[in-house]
Amino acid sequence: MATVEAYLYSNCTSCKKAEALLKEAGVEAAKRDLFKERLSASEIREMLSRANLSLEDVLSTRSRPFGDLKLADQRPSNEELIDLMAEYPALLKRPIVIKDGNAVVGFKRDAILQLVAK
């Protein structure tokens, strides 16, 4: 059986729902708390590649750092954004659930169930 990865934040309600859903579905996921075990820039690049995701898929434009850093006005390069995501994990939408090169970003119950059922 393929490994399911879950990138979460322990204080995030949507992440808690995703964790409970995976447990309810009997899915053993490799979990990583994005705030306790931050991803490095290279890990973010690798995760995006492995999950076939773009930066736009995972960039949280509603996060506090996005506003505080005025990223909408600056238009940073992809490399700069990845570096910022490594420094400010709140810039990553969550949860991110990955399996077999596919991913679901955000808590979407049916999409997560469909992903892990494959």
Side-chain angles (χ1 to χ4, degrees):
M1 181 168 191
T3 301
V4 174
E5 300 169 67
Y7 295 89
L8 313 156
Y9 173 42
S10 58
N11 292 345
C12 166
T13 303
S14 294
C15 295
K16 289 176 186 176
K17 287 180 187 177
E19 253 187 297
L21 180 63
L22 291 171
K23 187 175 180 179
E24 180 185 309
V27 174
E28 193 67 38
K31 296 177 232 165
R32 183 152 177 187
D33 187 310
L34 295 168
F35 287 73
K36 291 179 182 172
E37 288 182 74
R38 292 181 180 197
L39 296 171
S40 67
S42 62
E43 287 175 312
I44 292 169
R45 278 191 289 281
E46 200 271 326
M47 177 194 64
L48 294 173
S49 173
R50 192 173 60 254
N52 293 306
L53 292 169
S54 69
L55 278 175
E56 293 75 28
D57 293 331
V58 298
L59 178 62
S60 177
T61 56
R62 297 185 318 173
S63 67
R64 176 170 281 139
F66 188 87
D68 290 350
L69 297 168
K70 298 179 178 27
L71 295 180
D73 301 331
Q74 292 183 24
R75 304 200 189 277
S77 71
N78 285 352
E79 286 306 309
E80 290 169 326
L81 267 179
I82 288 172
D83 288 341
L84 287 168
M85 287 174 171
E87 188 174 346
Y88 302 97
L91 286 171
L92 287 162
K93 285 183 188 173
R94 53 199 181 271
I96 302 170
V97 181
I98 302 170
K99 181 182 175 195
D100 293 334
N102 296 298
V104 176
V105 179
F107 182 72
K108 300 172 185 118
R109 180 180 175 80
D110 293 341
I112 291 171
L113 287 173
Q114 187 175 22
L115 175 71
V116 299
K118 291 180 182 177

